[in-house]
Amino acid sequence: GSAIKIYRSLLRRKAKLPEEEVKALIKSRLAGCYLLEGKRLISARKKGKAIACYNLAIKECAGAKELGKIGKIKAAFEYEKKMLKRSADRYFYGGKDREEKLESIAYYEQLIKEYGSVEDADYFHYHYLRCLLLKGRYRECIKGFHSFIATHPKSKWAGNAYMYAGEAYGLLGEPELRIKEFEKLVRFYPQSTFAQTARFVIASYHALHGDRKKAFNLYQDVAERSPESKLGKDAAAFAEELGNIETDEWLK
């Protein structure tokens, strides 16, 4: 680590390097240090960090002979990551039942352990938490989804995390907390895949608990956002029904 800092510092002082040969030598030494650091990370089963280390080597040490070896090692681990993800997804998305889907959890655990620092690691964490939900480890997955949102707020899966945390609360028999999660989903990720479903469920919750005005407004909102979808048509029908109830009560 110290050697890498020294060589990088020398490379930044371009004006003070007397010859291109010296610069090439420093790049070669720096690449060698990156190679050793990558091997240390691999031994510690931190392959994601090793890949990041090799990416820096490729970026900073153009022309160094060591880059050929670095490129091959990096490519091998990129391929391993790809194959692990493919195996995990085959079980998770292709599993015929709950037990078969849960075969994926070991692969996601390995991906998190070895590649948890790579750019697309949010995918591994999210699917691992989905597995915990399938296993019935509700409290654990709720805590995990909240941590996931805090760590990956811009992830394409962040809105979904609120949805599944809410479902976990529902399965624990805590409907109020379920609705709170859905409300966070709608507030923070209004364009999420599950946002419309969350709005519909929130509306139904308020209708069930006697807040017909709030339910009516929410149903109308769902209907206006997607008038041609089944959810939108159902919401429009419920809004109309609530509107008729209000009219009848006013006439009485």
Side-chain angles (χ1 to χ4, degrees), residues 143-189:
K143 185 178 179 181
F145 279 127
H146 288 166
S147 176
F148 176 87
I149 294 162
T151 308
H152 306 284
K154 295 183 179 179
S155 168
K156 64 180 288 186
W157 313 103
N160 296 20
Y162 274 127
M163 182 73 177
Y164 286 113
E167 291 298 350
Y169 276 126
L171 291 164
L172 286 166
E174 300 178 20
E176 295 84 2
L177 292 176
R178 179 185 185 226
I179 293 303
K180 284 183 179 179
E181 295 297 313
F182 289 176
E183 287 173 340
K184 290 175 190 174
L185 163 57
V186 172
R187 188 185 317 136
F188 298 121
Y189 299 96

Side-chain angles (χ1 to χ4, degrees), residues 8-241:
R8 290 180 76 183
S9 176
L10 285 170
L11 280 177
R12 290 192 188 103
R13 300 173 189 170
K14 294 179 181 178
K16 297 182 180 180
L17 293 176
E19 299 176 4
E20 282 299 313
E21 289 81 358
V22 175
K23 186 176 178 181
L25 177 62
I26 292 171
K27 281 189 176 184
S28 179
R29 295 284 174 83
L30 177 58
C33 289
Y34 275 129
L35 186 60
L36 290 172
E37 177 64 7
K39 287 180 178 178
R40 183 189 70 77
L41 290 166
I42 290 164
S43 297
R45 298 179 71 82
K46 296 178 180 177
K47 295 175 184 176
K49 289 187 176 181
I51 289 174
C53 178
Y54 292 149
N55 283 336
L56 279 174
I58 291 166
K59 181 180 178 181
E60 297 179 0
C61 307
K65 63 181 181 179
E66 290 82 1
L67 290 188
K69 189 172 184 180
I70 285 172
K72 288 179 182 178
I73 297 171
K74 176 179 175 288
F77 286 119
E78 290 280 11
Y79 180 77
E80 180 188 67
K81 177 169 73 75
K82 181 181 177 181
M83 290 298 102
L84 283 169
K85 180 179 177 293
R86 183 176 293 179
S87 297
D89 289 349
R90 184 175 68 248
Y91 284 113
F92 189 83
Y93 288 106
K96 295 176 183 177
D97 53 35
R98 176 179 169 278
E99 293 305 315
E100 195 168 324
K101 284 179 181 292
L102 285 174
E103 291 290 329
S104 65
I105 195 168
Y107 292 102
Y108 290 129
E109 282 180 322
Q110 185 177 349
L111 283 163
I112 290 168
K113 185 174 182 180
E114 298 185 358
Y115 295 97
S117 60
V118 297
E119 189 175 343
D120 56 348
D122 59 332
Y123 184 91
F124 315 144
H125 287 278
Y126 169 75
H127 283 81
Y128 172 72
L129 292 169
R130 289 278 308 275
C131 289
L132 293 187
L133 182 61
L134 278 175
K135 286 189 75 137
R137 290 157 63 177
Y138 303 133
R139 297 287 180 197
E140 189 178 348
C141 82
I142 289 167
K143 185 178 179 181
F145 279 127
H146 288 166
S147 176
F148 176 87
I149 294 162
T151 308
H152 306 284
K154 295 183 179 179
S155 168
K156 64 180 288 186
W157 313 103
N160 296 20
Y162 274 127
M163 182 73 177
Y164 286 113
E167 291 298 350
Y169 276 126
L171 291 164
L172 286 166
E174 300 178 20
E176 295 84 2
L177 292 176
R178 179 185 185 226
I179 293 303
K180 284 183 179 179
E181 295 297 313
F182 289 176
E183 287 173 340
K184 290 175 190 174
L185 163 57
V186 172
R187 188 185 317 136
F188 298 121
Y189 299 96
Q191 303 305 318
S192 167
T193 307
F194 290 125
Q196 276 289 78
T197 301
R199 290 185 187 99
F200 188 90
V201 173
I202 295 166
S204 301
Y205 175 84
H206 288 300
L208 184 65
H209 289 80
D211 193 342
R212 292 201 293 262
K213 184 176 180 181
K214 196 165 188 177
F216 175 81
N217 291 334
L218 285 166
Y219 280 135
Q220 274 202 322
D221 184 38
V222 173
E224 288 169 5
R225 286 173 183 270
S226 53
E228 299 305 316
S229 70
K230 184 181 184 306
L231 201 64
K233 290 176 181 178
D234 287 345
F238 283 123
E240 184 179 0
E241 184 179 336

